[in-house]
Amino acid sequence: METKILKPTFENLKLCANLLKKGEIIGAPTETVYGLAANAFDYDAVSKIFKVKGRPQDNPLICHVNSIKMFRSLTDDNSVLIEKLITNFWPGPLTIIVKKCVAMPINVTAGLETVGIRFSSNKILNQLIGMCSFPLAAPSANLSKKPSSTNAHHVANDFNGKIPAILDGGTCSVGVESTIVKIENGCCVLLRPGFITLSMLKHVSKNVEIDKGILIKHNSNKQAICPGTKHLHYSPKADVVVVKGSLSSFIKYVSEKLNSKIWCAVFDGEQKYFNNYVLTYGKEVNEQAKNLFSVLRKVDDLNLDKIFFRSPSEHDLGLAVYNRLIRAADFNVINLD
Ligand code: TXA
Ligand code: MG
């Protein structure tokens, strides 16, 4: 099958909507990362997503809506807190886990009684959903375990020849996947950090809790609240090592180790301390979020054996970058100070 990369013209959006209506799956942009989208009510189309991604069957998908009305057609959940989250953060990079109310195909929710729903702020995606008139189930558009895609070229890299089309909406403005929350006994539980930060959530909800799975490795004997967090994730082929500590201790620690197969990734401006074998992934945390997956993909392009990453801040959006990095590193974190 030929994979067409399509500019988001009206005609191309129509073409993609028709493919989705026929049960095909396509790559589509959101403000966070690209998604691999199917009609959320079409079991067979949703199965194709799991197949091409190589995604474990126990990992549910997020459903994307383009209106509050469409959201209400998928759930009866209307607690005060959910209404507040919607009012404050939608459309935007927030996924809310709610009780599902309609007969959604079992593979979308991996058999759970809940469904993750998101109203993205991406106009192309929302126009596409409008043309389809059904919600789109879409995980991130990457092969399972691999870094997410933040441009159409990344999606083509992973799925060329396996999907009919990719809508090219340019580079994603956020760069890391949506914040995921679930409401439990009036408390907002953060399951995956993202652009909607802990402090932003605290402005809306008196009680906010961080799920432990954000910072520690999942114990395989326990059931994960957010099934995706128990699988190895975001990983290039190379070993990733996250190094905490000052710039001077980082330089001292890695300098002797670097060679054509072992590189480091530092903040913009710090590359001058290394003669060679160095990548940068942004200075401010917004840039780091935007660049992270491109840099992890570059590590594969360079065919490296190992990469040492300067550890980002763990505050606000930094927590999201840190959370993805420690997973890419399979929790291999070195503390120098
Ligand atoms: O920004 C995003 O959220 C992107 C774009 C495409 O929207 N999507 C995305 O999907 O990151 P995915 O499938 O890569 O990650 C979704 C995460 C998984 O870890 C999954 O386990 C969790 O959401 N999830 C989905 N439904 C859930 C549910 N009902 N309960 C708990 N976790 C759920
Ligand atoms: Mg993903």
Side-chain angles (χ1 to χ4, degrees):
M1 164 189 311
E2 187 204 349
T3 303
K4 293 195 179 104
I5 299 185
L6 303 169
K7 291 280 168 221
T9 60
F10 182 81
E11 288 72 29
N12 286 339
L13 280 162
K14 272 269 170 232
L15 193 153
C16 288
N18 284 333
L19 286 167
L20 289 162
K21 285 178 191 170
K22 281 195 283 187
E24 293 293 345
I25 63 175
I26 66 151
T30 84
E31 76 278 45
T32 56
V33 298
Y34 273 69
L36 195 59
N39 175 355
F41 287 111
D42 182 337
Y43 179 93
D44 293 334
V46 170
S47 303
K48 288 183 187 168
I49 293 179
F50 282 88
K51 189 158 172 235
V52 299
K53 268 187 74 102
R55 184 176 178 100
Q57 296 292 334
D58 65 353
N59 195 1
L61 308 182
I62 292 173
C63 288
H64 297 71
V65 297
N66 73 343
S67 67
I68 306 294
K69 190 171 163 219
M70 193 180 267
F71 166 72
R72 301 217 192 280
S73 73
L74 302 179
T75 181
D76 288 332
D77 251 347
N78 60 356
S79 69
V80 176
L81 200 41
I82 287 176
E83 297 302 316
K84 274 191 183 172
L85 291 169
I86 289 174
T87 312
N88 281 274
F89 302 121
W90 275 5
L94 178 74
T95 297
I96 310 175
I97 309 289
V98 292
K99 275 190 236 94
K100 64 166 191 170
C101 84
V102 285
M104 193 161 269
I106 192 160
N107 52 359
V108 173
T109 61
L112 297 175
E113 285 307 308
T114 54
V115 58
I117 305 183
R118 169 154 127 76
F119 181 174
S120 159
S121 62
N122 186 288
K123 292 201 168 61
I124 301 166
L125 182 77
N126 291 338
Q127 216 180 331
L128 179 68
I129 298 172
M131 287 176 176
C132 292
S133 310
F134 46 70
L136 294 178
S140 52
N142 52 278
L143 294 169
S144 196
K145 304 193 181 74
K146 292 291 164 196
S148 301
S149 291
T150 51
N151 61 44
H153 174 73
H154 292 161
V155 185
N157 215 40
D158 287 11
F159 300 110
N160 201 17
K162 294 182 186 146
I163 57 175
I166 301 164
L167 265 178
D168 186 353
T171 301
C172 300
S173 58
V174 173
V176 288
E177 304 84 348
S178 60
T179 303
I180 303 182
V181 294
K182 119 178 213 179
I183 311 302
E184 225 167 43
N185 307 321
C187 179
C188 178
V189 186
L190 177 63
L191 301 180
R192 182 175 71 181
F195 190 83
I196 305 299
T197 63
L198 193 61
S199 50
M200 288 158 85
L201 292 170
K202 282 183 177 163
H203 270 108
V204 169
S205 169
K206 251 199 326 233
N207 303 315
V208 184
E209 239 176 52
I210 303 189
D211 179 58
K212 288 191 195 72
I214 285 177
L215 292 171
I216 56 170
K217 195 167 181 166
H218 179 74
N219 172 349
S220 54
N221 296 323
K222 277 200 181 154
Q223 193 173 356
I225 311 182
C226 190
T229 59
K230 72 180 183 188
H231 302 288
L232 179 69
H233 233 125
Y234 316 116
S235 284
K237 286 193 270 318
D239 290 335
V240 176
V241 184
V242 180
V243 184
K244 287 188 178 181
S246 63
L247 173 61
S248 56
S249 50
F250 182 88
I251 296 169
K252 208 161 134 201
Y253 180 78
V254 305
S255 289
E256 298 278 284
K257 300 181 174 68
L258 303 185
N259 61 43
S260 62
K261 292 297 238 179
I262 303 180
W263 288 40
C264 65
V266 299
F267 307 144
D268 281 27
E270 297 176 349
Q271 64 273 34
K272 61 181 179 230
Y273 300 106
F274 303 86
N275 294 329
N276 222 331
Y277 313 131
V278 62
L279 297 172
T280 60
Y281 76 108
K283 187 167 185 182
E284 304 305 330
V285 73
N286 288 52
E287 298 162 36
Q288 292 169 4
K290 213 170 158 174
N291 293 331
L292 180 69
F293 290 128
S294 276
V295 171
L296 287 171
R297 283 173 173 268
K298 179 131 195 215
V299 169
D300 268 351
D301 297 342
L302 291 165
N303 215 2
L304 303 183
D305 289 339
K306 192 181 255 194
I307 180 134
F308 293 99
F309 263 86
R310 278 269 275 147
S311 189
S313 145
E314 287 162 54
H315 299 291
D316 296 322
L317 181 56
L319 183 63
V321 179
Y322 180 70
N323 166 270
R324 307 312 189 268
L325 252 186
I326 58 175
R327 280 177 168 68
D330 199 17
F331 296 86
N332 189 357
V333 181
I334 292 173
N335 211 329
L336 298 176
D337 292 337

PDB file of all heavy atoms in Angstrom, residues 117-140:
ATOM      1  N   ILE A 117     -10.931  10.312  27.284  1.00  0.00           N
ATOM      2  CA  ILE A 117     -11.474  11.189  26.235  1.00  0.00           C
ATOM      3  C   ILE A 117     -10.702  12.504  26.200  1.00  0.00           C
ATOM      4  O   ILE A 117     -10.319  13.050  27.240  1.00  0.00           O
ATOM      5  CB  ILE A 117     -12.978  11.463  26.451  1.00  0.00           C
ATOM      6  CG1 ILE A 117     -13.731  10.124  26.551  1.00  0.00           C
ATOM      7  CG2 ILE A 117     -13.547  12.306  25.301  1.00  0.00           C
ATOM      8  CD1 ILE A 117     -15.233  10.254  26.702  1.00  0.00           C
ATOM      9  N   ARG A 118     -10.499  12.976  24.982  1.00  0.00           N
ATOM     10  CA  ARG A 118      -9.734  14.212  24.817  1.00  0.00           C
ATOM     11  C   ARG A 118     -10.331  15.050  23.697  1.00  0.00           C
ATOM     12  O   ARG A 118     -10.708  14.516  22.653  1.00  0.00           O
ATOM     13  CB  ARG A 118      -8.304  13.789  24.470  1.00  0.00           C
ATOM     14  CG  ARG A 118      -7.398  14.891  24.015  1.00  0.00           C
ATOM     15  CD  ARG A 118      -5.981  14.464  24.330  1.00  0.00           C
ATOM     16  NE  ARG A 118      -5.100  14.532  23.162  1.00  0.00           N
ATOM     17  CZ  ARG A 118      -4.617  15.653  22.680  1.00  0.00           C
ATOM     18  NH1 ARG A 118      -4.938  16.816  23.219  1.00  0.00           N
ATOM     19  NH2 ARG A 118      -3.802  15.642  21.645  1.00  0.00           N
ATOM     20  N   PHE A 119     -10.448  16.352  23.964  1.00  0.00           N
ATOM     21  CA  PHE A 119     -10.886  17.326  22.958  1.00  0.00           C
ATOM     22  C   PHE A 119      -9.638  18.154  22.671  1.00  0.00           C
ATOM     23  O   PHE A 119      -9.281  19.054  23.417  1.00  0.00           O
ATOM     24  CB  PHE A 119     -12.031  18.156  23.563  1.00  0.00           C
ATOM     25  CG  PHE A 119     -12.654  19.206  22.672  1.00  0.00           C
ATOM     26  CD1 PHE A 119     -13.777  19.908  23.112  1.00  0.00           C
ATOM     27  CD2 PHE A 119     -12.143  19.527  21.407  1.00  0.00           C
ATOM     28  CE1 PHE A 119     -14.372  20.893  22.318  1.00  0.00           C
ATOM     29  CE2 PHE A 119     -12.722  20.506  20.621  1.00  0.00           C
ATOM     30  CZ  PHE A 119     -13.826  21.192  21.080  1.00  0.00           C
ATOM     31  N   SER A 120      -8.973  17.792  21.588  1.00  0.00           N
ATOM     32  CA  SER A 120      -7.711  18.450  21.223  1.00  0.00           C
ATOM     33  C   SER A 120      -7.983  19.853  20.691  1.00  0.00           C
ATOM     34  O   SER A 120      -9.079  20.142  20.206  1.00  0.00           O
ATOM     35  CB  SER A 120      -7.024  17.596  20.151  1.00  0.00           C
ATOM     36  OG  SER A 120      -6.091  18.356  19.420  1.00  0.00           O
ATOM     37  N   SER A 121      -6.962  20.707  20.757  1.00  0.00           N
ATOM     38  CA  SER A 121      -7.139  22.061  20.205  1.00  0.00           C
ATOM     39  C   SER A 121      -6.688  22.131  18.748  1.00  0.00           C
ATOM     40  O   SER A 121      -6.706  23.199  18.154  1.00  0.00           O
ATOM     41  CB  SER A 121      -6.343  23.065  21.045  1.00  0.00           C
ATOM     42  OG  SER A 121      -4.967  22.752  20.973  1.00  0.00           O
ATOM     43  N   ASN A 122      -6.294  20.990  18.173  1.00  0.00           N
ATOM     44  CA  ASN A 122      -5.806  21.015  16.788  1.00  0.00           C
ATOM     45  C   ASN A 122      -6.987  21.154  15.809  1.00  0.00           C
ATOM     46  O   ASN A 122      -7.865  20.285  15.745  1.00  0.00           O
ATOM     47  CB  ASN A 122      -4.999  19.744  16.507  1.00  0.00           C
ATOM     48  CG  ASN A 122      -4.345  19.792  15.143  1.00  0.00           C
ATOM     49  OD1 ASN A 122      -5.016  19.684  14.116  1.00  0.00           O
ATOM     50  ND2 ASN A 122      -3.041  19.981  15.118  1.00  0.00           N
ATOM     51  N   LYS A 123      -6.949  22.244  15.031  1.00  0.00           N
ATOM     52  CA  LYS A 123      -8.097  22.556  14.164  1.00  0.00           C
ATOM     53  C   LYS A 123      -8.259  21.530  13.046  1.00  0.00           C
ATOM     54  O   LYS A 123      -9.370  21.215  12.624  1.00  0.00           O
ATOM     55  CB  LYS A 123      -7.920  23.950  13.565  1.00  0.00           C
ATOM     56  CG  LYS A 123      -8.016  25.034  14.621  1.00  0.00           C
ATOM     57  CD  LYS A 123      -8.349  26.391  14.002  1.00  0.00           C
ATOM     58  CE  LYS A 123      -8.721  27.407  15.051  1.00  0.00           C
ATOM     59  NZ  LYS A 123      -7.657  27.698  16.020  1.00  0.00           N
ATOM     60  N   ILE A 124      -7.130  21.002  12.545  1.00  0.00           N
ATOM     61  CA  ILE A 124      -7.192  20.020  11.446  1.00  0.00           C
ATOM     62  C   ILE A 124      -7.896  18.759  11.944  1.00  0.00           C
ATOM     63  O   ILE A 124      -8.806  18.227  11.299  1.00  0.00           O
ATOM     64  CB  ILE A 124      -5.764  19.675  10.946  1.00  0.00           C
ATOM     65  CG1 ILE A 124      -5.064  20.943  10.451  1.00  0.00           C
ATOM     66  CG2 ILE A 124      -5.780  18.589   9.886  1.00  0.00           C
ATOM     67  CD1 ILE A 124      -3.567  20.788  10.248  1.00  0.00           C
ATOM     68  N   LEU A 125      -7.471  18.297  13.124  1.00  0.00           N
ATOM     69  CA  LEU A 125      -8.084  17.087  13.692  1.00  0.00           C
ATOM     70  C   LEU A 125      -9.575  17.315  13.923  1.00  0.00           C
ATOM     71  O   LEU A 125     -10.407  16.456  13.589  1.00  0.00           O
ATOM     72  CB  LEU A 125      -7.400  16.711  15.011  1.00  0.00           C
ATOM     73  CG  LEU A 125      -7.945  15.429  15.630  1.00  0.00           C
ATOM     74  CD1 LEU A 125      -7.389  14.209  14.905  1.00  0.00           C
ATOM     75  CD2 LEU A 125      -7.637  15.331  17.107  1.00  0.00           C
ATOM     76  N   ASN A 126      -9.915  18.476  14.483  1.00  0.00           N
ATOM     77  CA  ASN A 126     -11.313  18.730  14.809  1.00  0.00           C
ATOM     78  C   ASN A 126     -12.188  18.843  13.556  1.00  0.00           C
ATOM     79  O   ASN A 126     -13.332  18.392  13.547  1.00  0.00           O
ATOM     80  CB  ASN A 126     -11.437  19.974  15.691  1.00  0.00           C
ATOM     81  CG  ASN A 126     -10.862  19.707  17.070  1.00  0.00           C
ATOM     82  OD1 ASN A 126     -10.764  18.547  17.481  1.00  0.00           O
ATOM     83  ND2 ASN A 126     -10.452  20.746  17.780  1.00  0.00           N
ATOM     84  N   GLN A 127     -11.606  19.397  12.493  1.00  0.00           N
ATOM     85  CA  GLN A 127     -12.344  19.473  11.230  1.00  0.00           C
ATOM     86  C   GLN A 127     -12.562  18.057  10.678  1.00  0.00           C
ATOM     87  O   GLN A 127     -13.647  17.725  10.202  1.00  0.00           O
ATOM     88  CB  GLN A 127     -11.508  20.279  10.235  1.00  0.00           C
ATOM     89  CG  GLN A 127     -12.344  21.140   9.312  1.00  0.00           C
ATOM     90  CD  GLN A 127     -11.448  21.910   8.343  1.00  0.00           C
ATOM     91  OE1 GLN A 127     -10.311  22.239   8.649  1.00  0.00           O
ATOM     92  NE2 GLN A 127     -11.974  22.182   7.156  1.00  0.00           N
ATOM     93  N   LEU A 128     -11.532  17.237  10.800  1.00  0.00           N
ATOM     94  CA  LEU A 128     -11.637  15.847  10.324  1.00  0.00           C
ATOM     95  C   LEU A 128     -12.728  15.099  11.099  1.00  0.00           C
ATOM     96  O   LEU A 128     -13.562  14.404  10.490  1.00  0.00           O
ATOM     97  CB  LEU A 128     -10.276  15.157  10.511  1.00  0.00           C
ATOM     98  CG  LEU A 128     -10.180  13.696  10.094  1.00  0.00           C
ATOM     99  CD1 LEU A 128     -10.314  13.561   8.575  1.00  0.00           C
ATOM    100  CD2 LEU A 128      -8.842  13.081  10.545  1.00  0.00           C
ATOM    101  N   ILE A 129     -12.739  15.246  12.429  1.00  0.00           N
ATOM    102  CA  ILE A 129     -13.770  14.577  13.246  1.00  0.00           C
ATOM    103  C   ILE A 129     -15.156  15.088  12.828  1.00  0.00           C
ATOM    104  O   ILE A 129     -16.101  14.311  12.707  1.00  0.00           O
ATOM    105  CB  ILE A 129     -13.537  14.810  14.764  1.00  0.00           C
ATOM    106  CG1 ILE A 129     -12.187  14.205  15.196  1.00  0.00           C
ATOM    107  CG2 ILE A 129     -14.669  14.199  15.592  1.00  0.00           C
ATOM    108  CD1 ILE A 129     -11.755  14.544  16.624  1.00  0.00           C
ATOM    109  N   GLY A 130     -15.239  16.387  12.544  1.00  0.00           N
ATOM    110  CA  GLY A 130     -16.505  16.972  12.098  1.00  0.00           C
ATOM    111  C   GLY A 130     -16.997  16.327  10.798  1.00  0.00           C
ATOM    112  O   GLY A 130     -18.189  16.058  10.645  1.00  0.00           O
ATOM    113  N   MET A 131     -16.086  16.074   9.877  1.00  0.00           N
ATOM    114  CA  MET A 131     -16.478  15.456   8.600  1.00  0.00           C
ATOM    115  C   MET A 131     -16.881  13.999   8.796  1.00  0.00           C
ATOM    116  O   MET A 131     -17.678  13.459   8.041  1.00  0.00           O
ATOM    117  CB  MET A 131     -15.316  15.525   7.606  1.00  0.00           C
ATOM    118  CG  MET A 131     -15.063  16.919   7.066  1.00  0.00           C
ATOM    119  SD  MET A 131     -13.612  16.880   5.994  1.00  0.00           S
ATOM    120  CE  MET A 131     -13.597  18.565   5.395  1.00  0.00           C
ATOM    121  N   CYS A 132     -16.315  13.349   9.810  1.00  0.00           N
ATOM    122  CA  CYS A 132     -16.625  11.939  10.070  1.00  0.00           C
ATOM    123  C   CYS A 132     -17.921  11.781  10.867  1.00  0.00           C
ATOM    124  O   CYS A 132     -18.645  10.804  10.716  1.00  0.00           O
ATOM    125  CB  CYS A 132     -15.514  11.284  10.889  1.00  0.00           C
ATOM    126  SG  CYS A 132     -13.959  11.114  10.010  1.00  0.00           S
ATOM    127  N   SER A 133     -18.170  12.725  11.770  1.00  0.00           N
ATOM    128  CA  SER A 133     -19.290  12.648  12.723  1.00  0.00           C
ATOM    129  C   SER A 133     -19.175  11.486  13.691  1.00  0.00           C
ATOM    130  O   SER A 133     -20.183  11.044  14.244  1.00  0.00           O
ATOM    131  CB  SER A 133     -20.651  12.566  12.022  1.00  0.00           C
ATOM    132  OG  SER A 133     -20.768  13.557  11.070  1.00  0.00           O
ATOM    133  N   PHE A 134     -17.994  10.934  13.864  1.00  0.00           N
ATOM    134  CA  PHE A 134     -17.779   9.956  14.946  1.00  0.00           C
ATOM    135  C   PHE A 134     -16.454  10.286  15.640  1.00  0.00           C
ATOM    136  O   PHE A 134     -15.581  10.924  15.046  1.00  0.00           O
ATOM    137  CB  PHE A 134     -17.799   8.510  14.428  1.00  0.00           C
ATOM    138  CG  PHE A 134     -17.001   8.226  13.171  1.00  0.00           C
ATOM    139  CD1 PHE A 134     -15.602   8.249  13.181  1.00  0.00           C
ATOM    140  CD2 PHE A 134     -17.647   7.915  11.974  1.00  0.00           C
ATOM    141  CE1 PHE A 134     -14.872   7.972  12.044  1.00  0.00           C
ATOM    142  CE2 PHE A 134     -16.919   7.644  10.821  1.00  0.00           C
ATOM    143  CZ  PHE A 134     -15.535   7.668  10.848  1.00  0.00           C
ATOM    144  N   PRO A 135     -16.321   9.860  16.908  1.00  0.00           N
ATOM    145  CA  PRO A 135     -15.053  10.103  17.604  1.00  0.00           C
ATOM    146  C   PRO A 135     -13.937   9.252  17.015  1.00  0.00           C
ATOM    147  O   PRO A 135     -14.205   8.184  16.453  1.00  0.00           O
ATOM    148  CB  PRO A 135     -15.345   9.695  19.054  1.00  0.00           C
ATOM    149  CG  PRO A 135     -16.579   8.871  19.014  1.00  0.00           C
ATOM    150  CD  PRO A 135     -17.322   9.181  17.764  1.00  0.00           C
ATOM    151  N   LEU A 136     -12.719   9.734  17.132  1.00  0.00           N
ATOM    152  CA  LEU A 136     -11.576   8.974  16.619  1.00  0.00           C
ATOM    153  C   LEU A 136     -10.772   8.385  17.769  1.00  0.00           C
ATOM    154  O   LEU A 136     -10.312   9.125  18.652  1.00  0.00           O
ATOM    155  CB  LEU A 136     -10.675   9.885  15.770  1.00  0.00           C
ATOM    156  CG  LEU A 136     -11.284  10.415  14.474  1.00  0.00           C
ATOM    157  CD1 LEU A 136     -10.299  11.348  13.759  1.00  0.00           C
ATOM    158  CD2 LEU A 136     -11.686   9.259  13.535  1.00  0.00           C
ATOM    159  N   ALA A 137     -10.647   7.069  17.757  1.00  0.00           N
ATOM    160  CA  ALA A 137      -9.750   6.420  18.716  1.00  0.00           C
ATOM    161  C   ALA A 137      -8.350   6.573  18.146  1.00  0.00           C
ATOM    162  O   ALA A 137      -8.122   6.247  16.981  1.00  0.00           O
ATOM    163  CB  ALA A 137     -10.104   4.941  18.845  1.00  0.00           C
ATOM    164  N   ALA A 138      -7.433   7.101  18.947  1.00  0.00           N
ATOM    165  CA  ALA A 138      -6.081   7.309  18.415  1.00  0.00           C
ATOM    166  C   ALA A 138      -5.018   7.263  19.508  1.00  0.00           C
ATOM    167  O   ALA A 138      -5.007   8.115  20.392  1.00  0.00           O
ATOM    168  CB  ALA A 138      -5.998   8.647  17.680  1.00  0.00           C
ATOM    169  N   PRO A 139      -4.153   6.263  19.422  1.00  0.00           N
ATOM    170  CA  PRO A 139      -2.956   6.301  20.265  1.00  0.00           C
ATOM    171  C   PRO A 139      -1.911   7.135  19.557  1.00  0.00           C
ATOM    172  O   PRO A 139      -2.127   7.582  18.419  1.00  0.00           O
ATOM    173  CB  PRO A 139      -2.530   4.834  20.305  1.00  0.00           C
ATOM    174  CG  PRO A 139      -2.919   4.315  18.951  1.00  0.00           C
ATOM    175  CD  PRO A 139      -4.165   5.086  18.541  1.00  0.00           C
ATOM    176  N   SER A 140      -0.780   7.350  20.195  1.00  0.00           N
ATOM    177  CA  SER A 140       0.312   8.059  19.521  1.00  0.00           C
ATOM    178  C   SER A 140       0.762   7.244  18.303  1.00  0.00           C
ATOM    179  O   SER A 140       0.743   6.011  18.333  1.00  0.00           O
ATOM    180  CB  SER A 140       1.465   8.264  20.502  1.00  0.00           C
ATOM    181  OG  SER A 140       1.815   7.044  21.108  1.00  0.00           O
TER     182      SER A 140
END
